[in-house]
């Protein structure tokens, strides 16, 4: 029995996408279905074998090799079953397993490359995200449905349609051209950020933070930054995620949310903050003032303040105002209202939020209600606070968030 | 005490008519496998292993290189060996095996004849 050199705890989650991506690169996206099955098979085999015998020294290599052999068996069989599939021996080189095809200016990591393929501009933005979650992270239909607030059936249909379009849009072995890489960059960044956000405030009911997703997002962004197609925006996003991630340990105490005002700042990871700042230094002047850069700048303000009371709210509000110009989002409006309440008082924050007209989906979003409820409570309007908090409580996805809202509710019932 | 062979049978992936466990679920199964081994450490005398899906089959003087048939609807995915009081106890251990949480998987229990 050999001990795994990497922790097996997160292994299946972190390596699924890499195995799929490497095989897609070697065999072509047209075999996507077979590739996904082969990797799932290899993981099931790993489950039994490692469960019995312990994990091998190089689990990643083991999964890849096993999946590759299963895939070759599968493709041979498919070929025998239907000669129409063409000469598959052309698709792989027996000696190395890879076609020595040209990958000029290639994306360094297979999974990052596959992410660019999934972000094909001819696909609907939501489909891109679903495909990335399914193919790169192995999310089940149920897991995707839960995260994207969709019905399972709808996800199933969209994913299968998306895969078909992908196979049709992307000829075998195609690597996006440099021009396509540039076009798709913002979409890729968006998917990475969504992935990070899902990890940072998870929609899985008993897992308020999924560190593996955050780390996966950071890893993808970091390898993107190493590529020549990287722009200042990539560095800004990486910096932003580092700064968020640096506070991850302080956000929870015994599975309870700790609000920013009560977080122990000595628990913030100084290393993470420094890493984030270093990334931001790489953002050239012309990329200042973009969405990710401004969001990061707001976090920098928080990280700079020695205590919550020292926060420079005026500067933060200035940044939110800039942010609203480049990226109008009800979530930014919400955060701005909170900052305004800190700076000028709860009434000012509430007036600002009341004046905003949120789009339909936000009207039922628990954080919106929670923010309104909390601001009302601070102004002394307990009846209205109660209504909003009760609504928020009904829609909050995780136990930890429900606890936090209940606590606020209790505070407005006994003022 | 008698010995029992547990055979883990599952559908070949092409004939799966349900979704395979996601990596997250697989992760949980892996942890459950560990606790299964611990819970029944006195009963599971050979942890066994997983089996590759294809191998060689020797028939009447013939070698079939790709047997069992790749087109088989079902494959034996792995095995373990138990030593328990009786069949009933072997069933209790087998029933708790986490492989059963993988949709479509069956566990076959066979007594070793001379044990």
């Amino acid at each position: 029995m050999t001990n795994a050199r990497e922790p097996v705890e997160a292994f299946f989650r972190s390596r699924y996408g890499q195995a799929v991506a490497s095989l897609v690169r070697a065999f072509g996206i047209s075999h996507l279905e077979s590739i996904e099955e082969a990797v799932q098979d290899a993981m099931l085999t790993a489950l039994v074998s490692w469960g019995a015998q312990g994990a091998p020294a190089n689990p990643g290599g083991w999964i890849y090799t096993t999946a590759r052999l299963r895939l070759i068996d599968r493709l041979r069989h498919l070929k025998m079953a239907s000669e129409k599939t063409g000469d598959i021996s052309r698709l792989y080189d027996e000696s190395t397993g890879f076609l020595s095809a040209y990958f000029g200016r290639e994306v360094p990591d297979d999974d990052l490359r596959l992410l660019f393929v999934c972000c094909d501009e001819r696909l609907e933005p939501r489909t891109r995200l679903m495909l990335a979650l399914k193919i790169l992270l192995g999310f089940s239909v149920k897991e995707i449905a839960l995260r994207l607030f969709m019905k399972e059936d709808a996800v199933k249909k969209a994913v299968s349609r998306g895969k078909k379009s992908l196979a049709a849009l992307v000829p075998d072995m195609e690597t996006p051209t440099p021009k396509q890489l540039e076009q798709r960059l913002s979409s890729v960044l968006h998917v990475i950020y969504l992935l990070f956000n899902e990890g940072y405030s998870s929609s899985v009911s008993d897992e308020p933070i999924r560190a593996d997703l955050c780390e996966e997002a950071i890893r993808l962004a970091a390898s993107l930054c190493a590529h020549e197609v990287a722009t200042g925006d990539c560095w800004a996003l990486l910096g932003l995620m580092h700064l968020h991630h640096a506070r991850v340990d302080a956000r929870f105490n015994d599975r309870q949310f700790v609000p920013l005002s009560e977080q122990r700042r000595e628990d913030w990871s100084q290393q993470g903050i420094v890493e984030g700042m270093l990334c931001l230094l790489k953002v050239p002047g012309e990329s200042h003032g973009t969405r990710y850069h401004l969001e990061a700048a707001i976090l920098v303000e928080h990280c700079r303040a020695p205590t919550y009371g020292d926060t420079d709210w005026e500067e933060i509000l200035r940044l939110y105002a800039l942010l609203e110009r480049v990226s109008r989002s009800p979530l930014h409006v919400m955060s701005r209202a909170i900052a305004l309440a800190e700076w000028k008082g709860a009434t000012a924050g509430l007036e600002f939020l009341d004046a905003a007209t949120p789009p339909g989906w936000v009207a039922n979003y628990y954080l919106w209600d929670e923010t309104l409820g909390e601001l009302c409570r601070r102004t002394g309007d307990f009846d209205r606070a109660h209504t909003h908090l009760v609504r928020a409580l009904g829609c909050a996805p995780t136990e930890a968030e429900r606890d936090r809202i209940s606590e606020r509710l209790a505070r407005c019932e006994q003022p | 005490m008698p010995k029992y062979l547990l055979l883990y049978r599952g559908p070949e992936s092409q004939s799966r008519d349900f979704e395979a466990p996601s990596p997250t679920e697989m992760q949980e199964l892996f942890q459950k496998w560990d606790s299964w081994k611990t819970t029944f450490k006195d009963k599971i005398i050979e942890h066994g292993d997983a089996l590759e899906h294809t191998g060689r089959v020797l028939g009447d003087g013939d070698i079939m290189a790709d047997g069992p048939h790749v087109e088989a609807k079902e494959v034996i995915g792995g095995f373990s060996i138990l030593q328990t009081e009786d069949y009933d106890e072997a069933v209790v251990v087998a029933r708790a095996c986490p492989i059963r949480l993988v949709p479509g998987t069956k566990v076959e229990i066979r007594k070793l004849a001379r044990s």
Side-chain angles (χ1 to χ4, degrees):
Chain A
M1 195 200 282
T2 341
N3 284 325
R5 267 179 230 123
E6 64 182 300
V8 183
E9 293 73 49
F11 179 78
F12 290 91
R13 287 203 278 233
S14 62
R15 286 311 182 82
Y16 177 87
Q18 290 172 21
V20 169
S22 302
L23 290 168
V24 163
R25 166 178 145 140
F27 291 85
I29 192 109
S30 60
H31 296 299
L32 184 60
E33 290 289 335
S34 299
I35 289 170
E36 288 184 293
E37 281 172 3
V39 175
Q40 282 159 355
D41 266 4
M43 287 196 154
L44 279 174
T45 302
L47 177 71
V48 176
S49 182
W50 304 358
Q53 301 289 327
N58 174 5
W62 196 96
I63 292 281
Y64 178 80
T65 312
T66 308
R68 184 176 163 273
L69 289 173
R70 295 274 164 92
L71 180 63
I72 290 172
D73 270 353
R74 175 79 37 84
L75 296 181
R76 273 209 190 102
H77 172 63
L78 285 176
K79 186 189 171 221
M80 282 189 291
S82 154
E83 284 297 328
K84 279 184 294 184
T85 52
D87 181 12
I88 60 146
S89 64
R90 191 179 55 81
L91 288 180
Y92 61 89
D93 173 346
E94 282 283 2
S95 58
T96 64
F98 290 104
L99 225 190
S100 45
Y102 163 72
F103 290 120
R105 283 179 60 140
E106 71 183 281
V107 182
D109 291 330
D110 291 333
D111 45 2
L112 191 57
R113 172 210 303 268
L114 190 52
L115 184 55
F116 272 98
V117 171
C118 290
C119 286
D120 193 303
E121 52 285 346
R122 289 164 289 186
L123 297 169
E124 288 291 315
R126 210 176 170 76
T127 306
R128 295 176 209 162
L129 178 62
M130 283 192 271
L131 287 177
L133 291 174
K134 180 83 187 75
I135 301 170
L136 272 172
L137 291 144
F139 279 35
S140 68
V141 164
K142 191 173 145 206
E143 287 166 339
I144 297 177
L146 194 69
R147 280 168 182 78
L148 299 187
F149 306 101
M150 291 175 71
K151 294 236 170 5
E152 283 184 38
D153 267 355
V155 173
K156 206 169 175 174
K157 277 193 201 122
V159 165
S160 110
R161 249 201 330 265
K163 280 188 190 169
K164 280 197 193 98
S165 344
L166 204 58
L169 291 174
V170 185
D172 263 359
M173 320 294 293
E174 192 217 44
T175 294
T177 61
K179 187 156 176 281
Q180 284 170 321
L181 290 182
E182 278 163 34
Q183 283 173 344
R184 293 176 192 179
L185 196 58
S186 75
S187 182
V188 165
L189 291 177
H190 183 62
V191 169
I192 293 178
Y193 196 30
L194 277 171
L195 182 60
F196 182 85
N197 280 331
E198 174 51 35
Y200 203 61
S201 84
S202 160
S203 51
V204 179
S205 66
D206 53 354
E207 251 187 308
I209 288 187
R210 295 187 55 197
D212 55 329
L213 293 186
C214 293
E215 279 149 23
E216 190 64 16
I218 288 178
R219 189 187 64 75
L220 284 169
S223 49
L224 186 55
C225 285
H227 189 262
E228 58 188 283
V229 78
T231 59
D233 241 10
C234 303
W235 284 106
L237 176 62
L238 182 59
L240 169 63
M241 293 192 298
H242 272 306
L243 291 173
H244 270 305
H245 197 52
R247 294 187 297 131
V248 80
D249 290 336
R251 280 180 80 215
F252 274 88
N253 180 19
D254 195 22
R255 298 188 79 77
Q256 297 292 311
F257 262 110
V258 181
L260 182 62
S261 55
E262 290 161 32
Q263 284 174 17
R264 286 162 42 96
R265 296 190 175 214
E266 56 272 34
D267 289 345
W268 292 0
S269 155
Q270 287 306 312
Q271 197 199 337
I273 293 175
V274 169
E275 266 182 78
M277 302 273 199
L278 287 176
C279 291
L280 294 179
L281 286 177
K282 299 208 174 154
V283 180
E286 69 267 23
S287 295
H288 285 192
T290 62
R291 176 190 170 188
Y292 302 125
H293 189 256
L294 286 167
E295 285 190 28
I298 292 167
L299 284 186
V300 167
E301 284 306 318
H302 286 301
C303 292
R304 267 192 353 183
T307 69
Y308 188 71
D310 294 322
T311 313
D312 185 348
W313 294 110
E314 190 174 357
E315 173 63 9
I316 287 179
L317 279 162
R318 190 186 72 85
L319 292 167
Y320 270 122
L322 290 174
L323 188 55
E324 208 152 295
R325 274 192 243 153
V326 292
S327 156
R328 293 189 67 82
S329 151
L331 303 184
H332 293 147
V333 171
M334 221 165 66
S335 312
R336 192 175 165 182
I338 297 170
L340 193 58
E342 290 295 335
W343 189 37
K344 299 263 182 181
T347 313
L350 186 59
E351 274 171 9
F352 174 77
L353 198 55
D354 274 335
T357 38
W361 67 271
V362 169
N364 294 315
Y365 184 54
Y366 70 101
L367 283 179
W368 189 272
D369 270 316
E370 188 183 351
T371 308
L372 275 173
E374 176 63 11
L375 291 177
C376 289
R377 184 187 69 78
R378 288 196 217 166
T379 61
D381 186 349
F382 297 114
D383 282 348
R384 195 177 157 209
H386 189 272
T387 313
H388 283 299
L389 290 173
V390 165
R391 269 227 312 249
L393 192 60
C395 304
T398 70
E399 199 61 50
E401 293 188 296
R402 281 191 289 275
D403 286 350
R404 181 190 61 209
I405 296 167
S406 300
E407 199 183 300
R408 291 194 155 154
L409 202 51
R411 266 190 274 167
C412 79
E413 273 160 2
Q414 298 157 334
Chain B
M1 269 202 284
K3 294 178 183 167
Y4 297 89
L5 174 68
L6 300 189
L7 287 173
Y8 308 126
R9 293 178 175 280
E12 245 306 340
S13 39
Q14 309 97 304
S15 17
R16 242 184 239 145
D17 47 3
F18 43 77
E19 239 191 328
S22 72
T24 303
E25 289 163 332
M26 212 89 85
Q27 201 72 54
E28 285 160 20
L29 287 176
F30 189 68
Q31 270 133 28
K32 284 184 179 149
W33 198 284
D34 238 22
S35 19
W36 181 65
K37 279 199 316 193
T38 316
T39 312
F40 297 105
K41 61 178 184 304
D42 303 334
K43 315 286 177 200
I44 306 169
I45 58 165
E46 164 60 56
H47 287 137
D49 203 342
L51 296 174
E52 286 301 336
H53 288 189
T54 53
R56 307 269 156 109
V57 174
L58 285 181
D60 295 330
D62 289 318
I63 298 176
M64 199 162 66
D66 264 348
H69 298 284
V70 273
E71 61 270 29
K73 287 271 184 284
E74 197 181 71
V75 286
I76 298 178
F79 71 97
S80 309
I81 297 175
L82 311 178
Q83 186 159 36
T84 56
E85 289 292 339
D86 51 24
Y87 244 118
D88 288 348
E89 200 186 14
V91 169
V92 169
V93 180
R95 185 167 282 156
C97 179
I99 195 77
R100 298 187 60 240
L101 299 171
V102 177
T105 302
K106 297 173 201 162
V107 178
E108 184 173 327
I109 308 162
R110 304 275 289 266
K111 184 171 177 294
L112 270 61
R114 290 287 294 274
S115 65

